Every structure is written in structure tokens, then in C-alpha cells.
Amino acid sequence: MRLFLWAAGLLGGLALLRGAPAERPPFAHAPMGVANGCFVESVVLLDRWAGQGGESWRRLLQWGAREEEELVAGHAVAVGEHRGQLWCWDVNRGWAALPIEPARKEDAAAVAAPVLAHYPRTEARYPLFRHDFPQAEGKPPALPAGTVPAAVRDAVRAGGQLARVRPVTVVRFVHGSAEQPQESAAAVFLYHGRYCVYLPERGTVPFRLRGDLANLRLIQELLRRSLPGARELRRL
């Protein structure tokens, strides 16, 4: 009898040391692997999450510095509620449960705090939430034949995933000097009512403006803010 009680106590102690089984994340997800893709990677994950059905709370959490009324040079993750628990998906770290009560989910600063703890060397500012509005399915771009620069490949890959639930324009262009031109590409889409431009070299910048996604002149103007000399735009 004593041996049985000792064994039972030992097993119970080991169970306490191991802790309760961790709850599983909402679903398995593999990133696209595109350069500077935290924003578009998070959007694609949120699209998948919405496709799981239900009306659970989901947001894109972004932070950075403000420049001309826009948030730039920061980081973005996906956050949401799943079975009474807040979760975060970070392209750099994958899924993580957040130690935040669901009642505080609309407090961007509170939700951001445990996420930012993983970036102690980063001075994060202006955390805010973004979320999408229903849009029509877009047409995925085609990858040009032959060998293409990594930036073109990444823009096409991101555009193809984003186009599953929204219109997307992917443009290929040249920038730099006439003596040393460089090829690149960008994926342009709408998210949270913002005109978003994803550049593999720079990341994604949401612009507070209205415009047609097919307006190449407007896209060229926005591209030149990040890559001076952007020219010879053509849609893929």
C-alpha cells in the first residue's frame, strides 16, 4: 500500500513539474518566406484564420515610427482570440499564447507588451490594430519565365497569396541609375482602407489615400518614395 501511494505521489509530482498540457494554436501555418514580409505574412495568416469560419476577434498588430501620418519602419504580427485565449503569430517566432485577458483585447498597448518583450533592443512606438474589410477575390499574378531577381519572386509570391481574398496589382519595374539599373517588383493591395505597397527591399507601407490599384502613375510615385528612380513599370 505504501509503495502504491509513493508511486502515485511521484507520478503526481512529475505531472506538476511538466505542467498542464499546452493548448494547441488555432491552426498550423507555414510562412511564405518573403523578404521584409512581416506585414504581408500576417495578412495572409489572418486571411486563413478568417477562412476557418466563426466570428472570433482577429487583428493585425503593427508598431513603428510615424512619418507623414503613416506608420513605417516597424513590425507587424497577427493576433486573435481562439477558445477564450489570445494568441499571436509572429513571422519570426510562430504561434504564442498571450498572457492577456480577452476582456483587454481592444487595448493595443496591452496586447503588444508581451509581444514586444521578445524585441528588447527595439524601441517600439505607436502600437495599433488594423483589420480588413470584405473585398472581391483578385487575380493572382504570373511569375515571369526564366530566372528572375529575388525581389520579383517575392512580390509575385506575396501577391498570389493576397489575391485569394482581395484585388492585387503586382508591378515589375527598374530603379537606380541608368548605368546600374536594378530590377524589382511590388505588390499593391488594400487593407484596413489603406493603399498598401509591399516592396521586398523595404517591407509594406500603408498609405492613407484613395486610388485605383491599376493606376501605374500613382504606384510609381509611391515607389519613388522608397526607391528613387523607379520607372518602366509594367503590370504582371
Side-chain angles (χ1 to χ4, degrees):
M1 183 66 177
R2 291 182 178 178
L3 180 60
F4 173 79
L5 292 175
W6 175 84
L10 178 61
L11 291 174
L14 290 174
L16 288 175
L17 287 174
R18 289 196 301 264
E23 186 177 352
R24 291 184 178 180
F27 55 91
H29 180 76
M32 295 180 288
V34 298
N36 296 304
C38 63
F39 191 104
V40 289
E41 294 273 14
S42 297
V43 169
V44 169
L45 178 128
L46 289 168
D47 290 344
R48 282 199 62 198
W49 203 343
Q52 304 290 318
E55 298 295 329
S56 62
W57 180 87
R58 294 175 290 264
R59 297 289 187 270
L60 184 145
L61 173 64
Q62 185 185 17
W63 63 86
R66 287 197 180 277
E67 178 179 294
E68 297 180 357
E69 299 303 320
E70 298 300 338
L71 196 65
V72 298
H75 190 49
V77 300
V79 296
E81 185 176 358
H82 177 66
R83 296 180 179 177
Q85 169 72 57
L86 292 186
W87 287 85
C88 168
W89 185 87
D90 185 337
V91 68
N92 296 327
R93 304 181 62 84
W95 287 106
L98 297 178
I100 302 294
E101 291 295 327
R104 301 187 66 192
K105 62 189 177 187
E106 295 293 351
D107 185 342
V111 175
V115 182
L116 294 172
H118 296 297
Y119 298 95
R121 296 182 181 180
T122 301
E123 184 181 355
R125 305 173 64 190
Y126 310 113
L128 58 81
F129 289 134
R130 299 189 190 275
H131 60 91
D132 205 9
F133 306 106
Q135 299 185 58
E137 181 179 353
K139 181 180 178 180
L143 186 66
T147 303
V148 298
V152 176
R153 179 202 63 212
D154 286 355
V156 170
R157 182 177 297 171
Q161 293 294 316
L162 294 165
R164 293 181 174 183
V165 297
R166 63 180 58 77
V168 176
T169 293
V170 176
V171 295
R172 191 172 183 176
F173 62 95
V174 175
H175 66 97
S177 66
E179 294 76 18
Q180 294 182 316
Q182 301 178 58
E183 282 195 274
S184 188
V188 186
F189 59 100
L190 300 178
Y191 192 83
H192 193 79
R194 301 292 191 269
Y195 200 95
C196 299
V197 179
Y198 165 63
L199 269 172
E201 297 91 339
R202 298 288 187 271
T204 305
V205 178
F207 293 93
R208 188 177 299 171
L209 56 81
R210 295 180 180 274
D212 189 343
L213 293 178
N215 187 337
L216 296 187
R217 181 174 296 181
L218 173 60
I219 294 173
Q220 177 175 272
E221 178 184 339
L222 297 178
L223 290 174
R224 284 178 172 173
R225 299 186 185 185
S226 298
L227 296 177
R231 58 194 183 277
E232 299 179 23
L233 272 69
R234 54 195 185 279
R235 185 170 183 171
L236 295 178

